[in-house]
Amino acid sequence: MAVVAVTNPKGGVGKSTLSTNVAGYFARQGGTVVLGDVDRQQSSRLWLQQRPEAARPIVRWNIAADAMERPPKDVSHAVLDTPAGLHGKLLKEVLKLADKIVVPLQASVLDIFATQAFLSELAEHRHAQGVQVGIVGMRVDGRTLASEQLHQFIEGLGLPVLGYLRDTQNYVHLAAHGLSVFDVAPGRVARDLEQWQSICDWLDA
């Protein structure tokens, strides 16, 4: 079983978008996939509720922030959407569960500063040993100064940059129907699937 946690202490950076699409990717691979949500907003859980029966199945992982238990043994992949402000005891519990941590990061100074402090805490945490950590740039417009600042920051982290996802309404429209970019005709989201390729390679490694 592979457990992937999507984490960042900053709210609104795209954790649920990333979580649901990671789950959608694993479901496309044909495994038994569960998706857990310990964020207050419960966006990933709501996404699951909208998911059509015809889509590849993703099961809700009934997990609570105050009682974090491993997913069922018959699961091939588990994805966990975590809350803003993740630190301390809850971070420790997430690190105990996760094999891989994906950190979404937006191109804003506030997001960069908040994430920098979190990554420092993560690096120093004794439970982080053996957990793979990767960065995904979210809603990145390569034509902006903010994007250039994000690139410079990420390059100095010493962590793998899994990829950069553009700011597109595709994610918004698909989320409203409980779908990911991996659930629709490839031609409809060809540019997005191209951006996901390096992320998927890391998830599968």
Side-chain angles (χ1 to χ4, degrees), residues 73-179:
K73 293 182 178 180
D74 59 347
V75 167
S76 61
H77 297 89
V79 182
L80 181 62
D81 188 359
T82 63
L86 181 67
H87 66 281
K89 181 181 178 181
L90 182 54
L91 174 59
K92 174 183 175 181
E93 294 301 314
V94 169
L95 289 172
K96 285 182 179 179
L97 289 175
D99 301 299
K100 297 186 177 184
I101 288 182
V102 183
V103 182
L105 178 58
Q106 288 193 119
S108 80
V109 172
L110 293 178
D111 288 336
I112 288 173
F113 284 162
T115 304
Q116 186 173 32
F118 171 69
L119 291 172
S120 296
E121 180 183 1
L122 194 60
E124 296 169 0
H125 208 295
R126 65 186 181 89
H127 289 92
Q129 295 182 4
V131 179
Q132 297 180 56
V133 180
I135 309 292
V136 176
M138 301 293 290
R139 302 170 188 149
V140 176
D141 183 343
R143 300 166 295 181
T144 64
L145 177 60
S147 174
E148 178 60 29
Q149 292 173 335
L150 178 64
H151 283 285
Q152 292 177 1
F153 171 70
I154 291 179
E155 287 175 0
L157 290 176
L159 292 170
V161 180
L162 310 183
Y164 295 90
L165 302 182
R166 67 192 181 116
D167 187 6
T168 170
Q169 288 296 300
N170 282 347
Y171 293 109
V172 176
H173 295 321
L174 290 170
H177 300 284
L179 298 171

Side-chain angles (χ1 to χ4, degrees), residues 4-33:
V4 178
V6 180
T7 69
N8 190 314
K10 182 77 168 54
V13 295
K15 289 190 292 292
S16 295
T17 296
L18 205 50
S19 298
T20 53
N21 279 273
V22 168
Y25 170 68
F26 285 142
R28 191 185 72 172
Q29 302 295 87
T32 304
V33 183

